[in-house]
Amino acid sequence: MRVTEGQQKDVQLLLQNRSNEEVQKNRKILTTIIETIVFCGRQELSLRGHRDSGKLSLTEQKYNDGNLRALLRYRIRGGDLNLQDHIINANANATYISSDIQNELISIIASHVQSLIVKKIEKSKFYSVLADETTDISRIEQFSLCIRYVDEDEDGMKLREDFLTFVPVHDLTGAALASTLKETLVSLGLNLNNLRGQGYDGASAMRGSFRGVQSIIREAYPTAVYTHCASHCLNLCLSDASKVTSIRNAFGTISEVCTFFRRSAKRSNILKNRLKVLKEELNKNVTTLIKYCGLDG
């Protein structure tokens, strides 16, 4: 009886060890895939390709199957034997590189980055909110939310502006947007009593003195001072200034001069040679004409 019990314990131990090895192996594989996704994100590379479904082929494809798959093949050629074994032997529904898994991993990474930013904001304590509503390419109205705060690290104090999230909205009234803003900040774990500033554009729903977002927020949190976006103010000033004929003509002349040089390689080369001389005379690093942004009013 004792011998049987000992053999049973040995079998259980072997099964447990085998299970632990599988867990560690799968974690290494997932780590490799996550690192590749993070790399694509840092380099602003899209993950998906023209055809990227099914198992990953270890040979180069005639069509574009996406940056993620190409980078995973590159890692395998670089000697990642665990990844190679996984791609060859894994079941079709357990490769961890399907579009659904990619989206899930991206969401998890985004939540982690968001939590790190929130921790920095909490450490700083006081913060300002920057927000704007816009319609994306799929015609969904979204509320973009950024936070401005002071971050302290080994290099000293730095003023930071970090994007936190997009929030889909359906009601664009000041009251609804203010409610969305407060609910989002609370859901992220930020203390609204530490809100010290608001920065929006000049839309009536945002800056309105009575029913705008800034007035509703400031009524509840008086220390949250509203500041009209400086870039938007500049745009409005230039837009109004362009109504003056002479100023509008000046913008037109600037645009035509830029176009004159940009449309000819020969003229551009002459301009570069002249700017090199001016660089030595004026001690300014100017290499080309910068095309101005059009004013659409």
Side-chain angles (χ1 to χ4, degrees):
M1 184 67 180
R2 292 179 181 177
V3 174
T4 304
E5 289 178 355
Q7 290 177 344
Q8 184 176 4
K9 289 181 180 179
D10 290 340
V11 171
Q12 290 178 344
L13 181 61
L14 289 173
L15 291 174
Q16 183 63 40
N17 291 338
R18 177 62 178 171
S19 176
N20 291 336
E21 289 175 1
E22 286 293 327
V23 169
Q24 294 301 321
K25 180 180 177 181
N26 289 335
R27 284 179 177 176
K28 288 180 180 179
I29 293 167
L30 268 176
T31 299
T32 298
I33 296 172
I34 291 171
E35 287 176 347
T36 307
I37 291 176
V38 171
F39 174 83
C40 289
R42 285 184 177 275
Q43 300 304 120
E44 299 181 3
L45 299 174
S46 60
L47 271 65
R48 307 292 300 280
H50 179 59
R51 296 178 183 175
D52 59 355
S53 58
K55 294 196 70 172
L56 174 65
S57 174
L58 300 184
T59 60
E60 291 295 336
Q61 302 298 294
K62 295 180 180 179
Y63 51 83
N64 179 14
D65 61 349
N67 292 315
L68 176 63
R69 287 175 170 246
L71 286 169
L72 290 177
R73 273 196 297 271
Y74 182 78
R75 296 191 71 145
I76 291 173
R77 287 200 301 269
D80 194 329
L81 300 179
N82 285 330
L83 180 60
Q84 180 178 347
D85 179 68
H86 169 73
I87 295 300
I88 294 174
N89 299 315
N91 294 329
N93 62 349
T95 58
Y96 310 140
I97 60 173
S98 68
S99 58
D100 291 337
I101 297 298
Q102 289 178 37
N103 291 336
E104 186 175 350
L105 290 175
I106 291 172
S107 297
I108 293 172
I109 294 169
S111 298
H112 178 66
V113 172
Q114 191 180 74
S115 66
L116 294 178
I117 294 174
V118 170
K119 286 180 181 179
K120 288 184 178 181
I121 298 171
E122 290 175 340
K123 181 180 178 181
S124 176
K125 188 174 182 179
F126 300 115
Y127 62 93
S128 296
V129 62
L130 308 174
D132 191 17
E133 79 280 355
T134 185
T135 304
D136 66 8
I137 194 171
S138 58
R139 296 182 295 280
I140 296 177
E141 192 74 24
Q142 294 187 120
F143 201 52
S144 60
L145 180 62
C146 298
I147 298 294
R148 186 179 176 93
Y149 63 100
V150 177
D151 182 31
E152 183 177 2
D153 56 20
E154 60 274 7
D155 297 327
M157 310 288 282
K158 293 182 180 179
L159 187 62
R160 291 187 58 89
E161 289 182 9
D162 287 332
F163 168 78
L164 279 183
T165 185
F166 283 119
V167 184
V169 292
H170 305 286
D171 189 346
L172 300 181
T173 62
L177 292 175
S179 177
T180 299
L181 177 61
K182 290 189 289 186
E183 290 174 0
T184 303
L185 291 175
V186 171
S187 67
L188 291 171
L190 295 175
N191 188 347
L192 292 174
N193 292 315
N194 295 330
L195 180 59
R196 289 297 182 268
Q198 308 175 69
Y200 316 125
D201 61 16
S204 58
M206 304 300 292
R207 72 165 184 172
S209 301
F210 299 101
R211 291 182 294 180
V213 173
Q214 68 90 10
S215 62
I216 295 173
I217 295 293
R218 194 167 186 184
E219 183 179 354
Y221 306 97
T223 55
V225 179
Y226 167 65
T227 302
H228 191 165
C229 173
S231 297
H232 188 254
C233 288
L234 176 61
N235 181 268
L236 291 176
C237 291
L238 294 176
S239 179
D240 288 338
S242 66
K243 295 176 182 178
V244 179
T245 303
S246 58
I247 295 178
R248 184 169 62 250
N249 292 341
F251 284 134
T253 301
I254 293 171
S255 178
E256 290 177 1
V257 170
C258 291
T259 303
F260 174 79
F261 284 103
R262 284 173 175 269
R263 287 185 176 178
S264 170
K266 183 177 180 179
R267 290 194 291 264
S268 295
N269 189 53
I270 294 173
L271 176 63
K272 286 181 179 179
N273 292 333
R274 180 55 185 160
L275 289 176
K276 287 180 181 178
V277 177
L278 291 176
K279 177 183 176 180
E280 297 175 358
E281 296 177 355
L282 302 177
N283 195 25
K284 290 185 178 180
N285 188 20
V286 181
T287 58
T288 185
L289 292 178
I290 300 175
K291 190 174 182 180
Y292 82 103
C293 298
L295 300 173
D296 55 11

